[in-house]
Amino acid sequence: MTNGQWDDVDRYLVQTLVGDADSGVLQANSAAGLPAIDVSPAQGKFLHLIARSIGARRVLEIGTLGGYSTIWLARAVGEDGQVISLEFEPRHAEVARENLDRAGVGKRVEIRVGAALDSLPVLAQEEPAPFDLVFIDADKINNANYVQWALRLTRPGSVIIVDNVVRHGAVADAESTDPSVRGSREVIEMLGAEPRLEASVLQTVGSKGWDGFAYAVVVE
Ligand code: SAM
């Protein structure tokens, strides 16, 4: 199968199962000059369904970009739910804020601007109620650090998802010097060794190429 076929299948699935309700968000991101590194529409809806399946009311996202995945998550938590999303780039956060407000979910989402490794200790100090779901999709070199923080901010039964861990298959290359590949290997190995988590990784293909996400459940 070629990448073109993956695109065709993704288009068919999106037409049939997702629709184009939020395509304006992706257009706004592109018009604002943001990189097109959001989750795909099918992945966004999948995230939304995971959040709904576990009855998530509190979601922590690391890596907002223009808020595309944030909107899917915010719709899942319902009117009384909350999403806290951490973003390094002030311009990305500004575009995300506009998109979230336009999508009608702005009140459920707090965006905290800064390096996530600075924002997370501040958040932890506030002793927030545990998050039901953590979606990690920022700088891949810090994936393992983000999972460690997620463990402090969740409870048994919470779900932690780490995006883009397969990296066009490069994750299998133990000799890779690519920092993002090394970050993916580090987090997968940490997930395998961490007794408080049960995890697996699902490989994916589609409009975003060949990649995959780690799915972990906090067990203790
Ligand atoms: N989750 C978004 C979506 O699917 O719509 C895409 C997020 S994009 C892949 C990664 C984002 O993480 C970028 O906006 C980038 O600026 C942000 N980022 C990179 N390093 C970061 C850091 N150290 N702390 C917080 N955010 C960071």
Side-chain angles (χ1 to χ4, degrees):
M1 224 184 178
T2 64
N3 285 17
Q5 285 172 297
W6 299 347
D7 282 344
D8 291 345
V9 173
D10 234 1
R11 252 192 304 278
Y12 164 68
L13 297 176
V14 171
Q15 267 168 19
T16 314
L17 298 169
V18 183
D20 66 354
D22 287 318
S23 57
V25 175
L26 299 175
Q27 281 159 17
N29 289 352
S30 167
L34 269 52
I37 51 174
D38 349 60
V39 294
S40 73
Q43 289 165 347
K45 182 156 186 193
F46 201 79
L47 265 183
H48 168 89
L49 292 173
I50 290 173
R52 279 177 58 178
S53 304
I54 63 167
R57 288 288 168 266
R58 292 181 49 73
V59 173
L60 173 63
E61 177 179 63
I62 305 178
T64 321
L65 190 65
Y68 185 65
S69 54
T70 325
I71 290 172
W72 280 111
L73 292 166
R75 291 213 173 106
V77 298
E79 263 181 49
D80 300 328
Q82 191 190 21
V83 179
I84 296 184
S85 189
L86 310 181
E87 172 54 51
F88 180 70
E89 292 286 346
R91 176 70 185 139
H92 295 182
E94 198 182 313
V95 173
R97 173 49 61 203
E98 286 165 15
N99 284 331
L100 289 157
D101 290 344
R102 207 175 314 113
V105 293
K107 289 205 179 98
R108 306 174 198 177
V109 181
E110 183 186 343
I111 302 174
R112 297 190 177 194
V113 180
L117 286 180
D118 293 334
S119 304
L120 286 161
V122 175
L123 180 60
Q125 248 174 6
E126 294 166 14
E127 299 186 0
F131 291 94
D132 306 305
L133 172 66
V134 181
F135 178 52
I136 299 172
D137 187 20
D139 50 331
K140 310 304 172 185
I141 50 168
N142 279 313
N143 274 343
N145 289 327
Y146 295 147
V147 172
Q148 289 294 357
W149 276 106
L151 274 169
R152 288 185 55 172
L153 293 162
T154 49
R155 55 165 173 80
S158 296
V159 168
I160 301 171
I161 296 174
V162 188
D163 203 12
N164 307 125
V165 294
V166 172
R167 315 208 65 79
H168 304 277
V171 72
D173 179 6
E175 307 305 320
S176 175
T177 53
D178 178 329
S180 295
V181 173
R182 295 180 76 87
S184 290
R185 290 180 64 87
E186 193 186 347
V187 77
I188 290 168
E189 284 154 31
M190 180 221 161
L191 292 173
E194 173 54 69
R196 290 171 292 172
L197 291 169
E198 278 291 343
S200 189
V201 169
L202 209 59
Q203 298 191 63
T204 55
V205 294
S207 60
K208 299 283 171 172
W210 175 21
D211 213 326
F213 61 89
Y215 186 102
V217 177
V218 181
V219 291
E220 64 181 65

